[in-house]
Amino acid sequence: MGSTGRTERLPGSAAHPAAPRGRGPVVAALMLGMALAALDGTIVSTAVPQIVGDLGGFAVFSWLFSGYLLAVTVTLPVYGKLSDTFGRKPVLVAGIVLFLVGSLLCALAWNMAALIAFRVVQGLGGGALQGTVQTIAADLYPLAERPRIQAKLSTVWATSAVAGPAVGGLLAGYADWRWIFLINLPVGAVALFLILRYFTEPARPARATRPRVDWAGALCVFAAGALLLTALVQGGIAWPWLSAPSLALLGGSAVLVAATVAVERRAAEPIIPGWVWRRRTIAAVNLALGALGLLIVAPTVFLPTYAQSVLGLGPIAAGFVLSVMTLSWPVSAALSDRVYTRIGFRRCAMLGSGFAMLILLAFPLLPFPGEPWQPALIMLLLGAALGLFQLPLIVGVQSTVGWSERGTTTASVLFCRQVGQSLGAALFGAVANAVLVSRLGGGSLDSVSHALADPASLTASAADGLRRAVDAAVDHVYVGAAAAAGLALLVLLFVAPKRFPVRTDAD
């Protein structure tokens, strides 16, 4: 592990390799790469009618999102280990190229099955973009400067994720849905050029032995993650939770997880090393950011429905209610170093998660139907709390390891956050559906979805009942999100060390 210093010594003068000159073009490339990965997670959503009208396949269109999400999530640990073994640059270049090839193939897709397959190819590249971009950012900047670059990346991520549906709708409505994927090509080409031209990694000590890739472990991680996430994403939607497909997927994922543990214990250089979970700091951050992924589902997935169905807003106005969170989150993240340099990473994150829990609990107290500024204020405050919660944990955990372990550590954190989001979508979707069915006196969820799509077809009393049912469902989801924030707080309180063991060597 190398020298670790005493504990959590945070001044900007801590030993660290000097930041390379001319890093501006590299930072621009990282931001473009982050934008590509974030945008393509959501950009397809508003173009589904045009895509289905052209290619067909309405019954399986949800895999346009699920396939991309699965590929990104399950490849994160693999790319993290590869970047530690072979360097960041080759992994990032390969990821960008794979992402662009997938984008071009998506634009050329001739049916829905082909488009879904090519979205998976995109996701295989997106996994390299997400993890490696965050790792390179930590390599480029010393501890005192990392909040600045991480705030920029957070801004790009949040803005791209929220703007994705609007951009997709505009391209599908005024051009052609294939431009959703073609637009990636020039952006990715610029990022690729900047990385190839300006990014030079420092020379590393020569290895005594040739690096060995744990391909068996990578395959086990990929297969176990794919089965688990498929069960979480499709359960309760494509088939009931207690049906044979769900039980088979969950059982199969459990068997593969056990096989992964066995394979990784024997591997010389495992994809997911045991120290990722044996070190209290990394394990605590993994669990806490898994809880963050869980809670973030509430606003990003359910708030737009609330804004349109309960408040009566149009899609653009509903998007604005959600997007205000992207204003306060990066600002809070950028200023978080003024907090954690005084009270430490753990206490700063506890402060953020505690505030997030209280803010989420305030949502069910909003009046019915209320005014749009009320949930917008909630989202503005939530963004500020999450900036104090997420960024100190990422910066802190990256600062406890050296170059040779930073890629694996960063990937494990992002992997847990992605799994948390998948679990949150499944869990909170089940909660919302149960509340809707209960409040509406039974009936099928298909009839509810039709009513939400065409509320003008309902009588005044039925429309009011539907609005109240949606309001109650979203309230329950926000209470669940508050519980996730509380879980993160407990993890930081009882699992995380009081001070992060920040390294003081130059690795």
Side-chain angles (χ1 to χ4, degrees):
M1 287 175 53
S3 172
T4 58
R6 288 186 289 274
T7 47
E8 201 161 341
R9 188 168 177 265
L10 303 178
S13 60
H16 191 282
R21 295 180 180 179
R23 62 188 176 188
V26 179
V27 172
L30 297 182
M31 294 175 72
L32 289 174
M34 183 65 76
L36 286 174
L39 198 64
D40 272 71
T42 59
I43 194 172
V44 177
S45 59
T46 48
V48 166
Q50 289 79 10
I51 295 174
V52 171
D54 190 11
L55 301 180
F58 179 79
V60 294
F61 82 86
S62 64
W63 276 100
L64 292 176
F65 316 101
S66 302
Y68 181 84
L69 173 67
L70 288 172
V72 168
T73 304
V74 300
T75 54
L76 275 168
V78 178
Y79 286 127
K81 180 61 178 179
L82 291 177
S83 74
D84 283 343
T85 303
F86 299 104
R88 324 297 191 211
K89 187 172 183 175
V91 174
L92 182 57
V93 168
I96 295 175
V97 171
L98 194 56
F99 185 89
L100 294 182
V101 169
S103 297
L104 179 60
L105 291 174
C106 285
L108 299 175
W110 54 90
N111 59 33
M112 184 62 75
L115 182 57
I116 291 171
F118 298 148
R119 282 284 283 173
V120 172
V121 175
Q122 258 195 321
L124 295 176
L129 288 174
Q130 277 199 37
T132 314
V133 162
Q134 294 273 16
T135 305
I136 293 175
D139 291 340
L140 286 177
Y141 286 80
L143 176 56
E145 297 182 52
R146 282 181 194 156
R148 185 172 63 183
I149 180 61
Q150 290 289 356
K152 289 180 180 179
L153 294 177
S154 295
T155 302
V156 171
W157 178 270
T159 303
S160 299
V162 173
V167 174
L170 289 172
L171 290 175
Y174 294 98
D176 185 274
W177 65 264
R178 297 179 190 273
W179 280 100
I180 289 174
F181 305 106
L182 290 174
I183 199 174
N184 291 333
L185 301 183
V187 177
V190 172
L192 185 61
F193 168 78
L194 292 175
I195 289 295
L196 290 172
R197 175 68 176 81
Y198 293 101
F199 181 47
T200 302
E201 294 188 84
R204 308 302 303 175
R207 296 172 61 106
T209 59
R210 183 180 178 182
R212 299 172 60 185
V213 178
D214 177 23
W215 293 117
L219 181 61
C220 286
V221 169
F222 190 92
L227 288 188
L228 175 60
L229 291 174
T230 300
L232 294 176
V233 170
Q234 296 297 108
I237 299 175
W239 47 69
W241 279 109
L242 296 179
S243 65
S246 280
L247 296 177
L249 286 169
L250 291 172
S253 65
V255 171
L256 285 171
V257 166
T260 301
V261 172
V263 169
E264 295 296 81
R265 283 181 173 177
R266 294 181 175 88
E269 297 187 24
I271 292 294
I272 302 181
W275 54 259
V276 168
W277 292 104
R278 287 196 297 268
R279 297 181 194 174
R280 286 181 61 192
T281 305
I282 301 176
V285 172
N286 282 342
L287 293 173
L289 289 187
L292 171 64
L294 193 70
L295 75 86
I296 202 63
V297 168
T300 56
V301 175
F302 293 92
L303 185 63
T305 299
Y306 171 89
Q308 293 181 70
S309 300
V310 177
L311 301 181
L313 301 179
I316 296 177
F320 176 77
V321 172
L322 172 62
S323 66
V324 294
M325 183 172 66
T326 68
L327 302 177
S328 56
W329 190 326
V331 172
S332 172
L335 298 176
S336 65
D337 64 318
R338 302 185 181 184
V339 180
Y340 67 65
T341 52
R342 289 172 172 80
I343 66 175
F345 294 119
R346 171 176 171 267
R347 289 181 178 177
C348 182
M350 289 174 62
L351 188 67
S353 59
F355 279 145
M357 181 178 64
L358 295 176
I359 293 163
L360 290 163
L361 286 174
F363 190 91
L365 302 179
L366 295 179
F368 176 87
E371 298 293 332
W373 66 265
Q374 294 166 334
L377 178 61
I378 293 285
M379 290 304 98
L380 190 70
L381 295 174
L382 181 61
L386 295 181
L388 293 176
F389 175 23
Q390 175 179 262
L391 188 133
L393 293 180
I394 293 178
V395 172
V397 77
Q398 288 178 331
S399 302
T400 66
V401 296
W403 188 96
S404 62
E405 296 177 339
R406 192 171 291 136
T408 299
T409 299
T410 303
S412 73
V413 168
L414 298 179
F415 175 77
C416 289
R417 189 181 67 183
Q418 290 282 105
V419 172
Q421 285 183 267
S422 299
L423 180 59
L427 178 62
F428 294 148
V431 169
N433 290 342
V435 174
L436 282 172
V437 170
S438 174
R439 291 299 179 104
L440 296 174
S444 69
L445 289 173
D446 287 338
S447 62
V448 174
S449 62
H450 292 319
L452 289 173
D454 186 20
S457 63
L458 301 176
T459 64
S461 60
D464 182 69
L466 179 62
R467 292 172 69 196
R468 292 183 180 277
V470 172
D471 179 67
V474 177
D475 285 349
H476 280 73
V477 167
Y478 268 76
V479 171
L487 176 62
L489 184 61
L490 292 175
V491 166
L492 294 170
L493 184 61
F494 294 110
V495 180
K498 292 184 178 180
R499 292 184 178 275
F500 283 19
V502 173
R503 293 177 66 105
T504 57
D505 62 6
D507 188 10

